[in-house]
C-alpha cells in the first residue's frame, strides 16, 4: 500500500483556502445536488477560481436561485443549471444526451440519507442505493467520453462516514430478504460511492481520468432531515465551506495530480480501518477493495442494462 497522502490543509480549512491561487479558467465542472449545503459551496469555490460550473439539480428553481447567489457573490456569471433527478435513470440519460462539451471535473455530490421507510424506484431498486450510487454510476459512465475529451479530468465521489455502517451486500442490494434498516441502506450506498472511484480510476487512469472519494465531515444540512438533525459534538462539526474543502481539493488542487482510487477526509487520505472506530473516522477496507469495486461496477452495468430482478420490483 502506498504511503498515505497528506496536504497542508486540515479539518478547519475552507474550500476557498484550498483553491487559493488555483486558476480554473477554461475548465468545466458538473456538480450534482449543487443547490444547497456543501454542493453550493463547492460550486461557489470552483466558479470563483474561474471554472464554468453546471449544477445538476432535481429542482431547477432552487438551482437557479443558487446560481444567481453565486454570481452575485463572485461578481461573475459562470454557473448554469440543468435538471437532473438521480433516482430517475431516464433523467440521468437525458442529462448525458444533452452534454456535448469536454468535462474536466465531475463532482458526484447529491445524496439522500436514512429514509425511514423502504422506498423503491420504478426499477425496484432501493431508493438510497439508486440515488446515491446508481444515478451517479450512470452519469459517470455516460460522461466518460466528455471526461476523456478534457485531456485530464477528475471525478469526485462524495461518500461519508456512513461507509462504516455497511459494505455492499451483493446478494441483497435492494432489501428483498433483509429487514430494511435506514442506516444500513445509507451505509451500503456510501460504500458503493467510494468503490465507484476505485474502479473508475482502474479503468480510466490511462485516459487521464482520476477519481477519488471523500467524507466531507459533519455539516448541518437538509441531509439529516430524517435523523432528527446533526448529532455530532459541536467541536467536530464543520461549516458548509469547511465541508466543501475536501471536495474541491479532490476536484481541482494540483496537489492531487495523478492521484486516484483513494478516500479522503479532512483534506488528507483517510486511514483504512477493519472495525468501526468510536469517532467514525477512516474508511472501511471493504469500501476501497479493488475486487469489490470491479464486482460492483459489473453489477451496476447489468442493473442498468436489464433493470432490477423481478423479485424486488414493486407489486
Amino acid at each position: 500500500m502506498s504511503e498515505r497522502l497528506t496536504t497542508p490543509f486540515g479539518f478547519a480549512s475552507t474550500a476557498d483556502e484550498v483553491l487559493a491561487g488555483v486558476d480554473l479558467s477554461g475548465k468545466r465542472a458538473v456538480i450534482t445536488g449543487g443547490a444547497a449545503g456543501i454542493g453550493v459551496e463547492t460550486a461557489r469555490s470552483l466558479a470563483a477560481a474561474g471554472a464554468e460550473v453546471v449544477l445538476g439539480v432535481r429542482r431547477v428553481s432552487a438551482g437557479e436561485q443558487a446560481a444567481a447567489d453565486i454570481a452575485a457573490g463572485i461578481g461573475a456569471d459562470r454557473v448554469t443549471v440543468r435538471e437532473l433527478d438521480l433516482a430517475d435513470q431516464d433523467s440521468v440519460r437525458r442529462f448525458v444526451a444533452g452534454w456535448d462539451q469536454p468535462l474536466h471535473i465531475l463532482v458526484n455530490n447529491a445524496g439522500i440519507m436514512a429514509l425511514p421507510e423502504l422506498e423503491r424506484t420504478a426499477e425496484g431498486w432501493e431508493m438510497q442505493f439508486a440515488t446515491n450510487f446508481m444515478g451517479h454510476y450512470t452519469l459517470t459512465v455516460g460522461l466518460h467520453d466528455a471526461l476523456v475529451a478534457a485531456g485530464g479530468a477528475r471525478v469526485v465521489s462524495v461518500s461519508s462516514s456512513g461507509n462504516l455502517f455497511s459494505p455492499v451486500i451483493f446478494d441483497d442490494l435492494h432489501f428483498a430478504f433483509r429487514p430494511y434498516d435506514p442506516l444500513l441502506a445509507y451505509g451500503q450506498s456510501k460504500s458503493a460511492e467510494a468503490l465507484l472511484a476505485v474502479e473508475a480510476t482502474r479503468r480510466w487512469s490511462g485516459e487521464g481520468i482520476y477519481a477519488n472519494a471523500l467524507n466531507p465531515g459533519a455539516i448541518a444540512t437538509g441531509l439529516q432531515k430524517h435523523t432528527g438533525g446533526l448529532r455530532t459534538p459541536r467541536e467536530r462539526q464543520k461549516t458548509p465551506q469547511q465541508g466543501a474543502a475536501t471536495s474541491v481539493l479532490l476536484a481541482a488542487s494540483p496537489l492531487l495530480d495523478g492521484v486516484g482510487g483513494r478516500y479522503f477526509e479532512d483534506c488528507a487520505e483517510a486511514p483504512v480501518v477493519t472495525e468501526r472506530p468510536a469517532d467514525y473516522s477512516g474508511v472501511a477496507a471493504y469500501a476501497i477493495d479493488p475486487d469489490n469495486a470491479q464486482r460492483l461496477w459489473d453489477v451496476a452495468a447489468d442493473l442498468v442494462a436489464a433493470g432490477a430482478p423481478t423479485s424486488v420490483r414493486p407489486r
Side-chain angles (χ1 to χ4, degrees), residues 235-294:
E235 66 273 12
R236 293 297 302 166
Q237 294 182 23
K238 295 186 180 186
T239 66
Q241 253 286 315
Q242 291 171 329
T246 307
S247 289
V248 301
L249 178 83
L250 303 188
S253 172
L255 298 172
L256 270 291
D257 285 347
V259 174
R262 305 193 192 192
Y263 180 100
F264 289 74
E265 61 189 7
D266 297 337
C267 295
E269 188 174 0
V272 179
V273 299
T274 54
E275 60 182 40
R276 189 191 308 156
D279 64 356
Y280 298 97
S281 63
V283 60
Y286 54 68
I288 56 169
D289 179 83
D291 291 335
N292 288 346
Q294 187 168 355

Side-chain angles (χ1 to χ4, degrees), residues 112 126 128-129 132-133 184-194:
I112 56 175
E126 188 277 317
Q128 294 184 77
F129 186 80
N132 297 347
F133 171 69
L184 291 184
Y186 179 67
Q188 173 177 252
S189 74
K190 288 299 173 177
S191 289
E193 285 199 272

Side-chain angles (χ1 to χ4, degrees), residues 157-194:
S157 283
V158 181
S159 181
S160 86
S161 59
N163 83 84
L164 300 167
F165 284 93
S166 178
V168 174
I169 306 299
F170 288 99
D171 292 325
D172 192 21
L173 292 171
H174 307 295
F175 292 84
F177 297 91
R178 294 178 288 161
Y180 176 73
D181 180 282
L183 282 179
L184 291 184
Y186 179 67
Q188 173 177 252
S189 74
K190 288 299 173 177
S191 289
E193 285 199 272

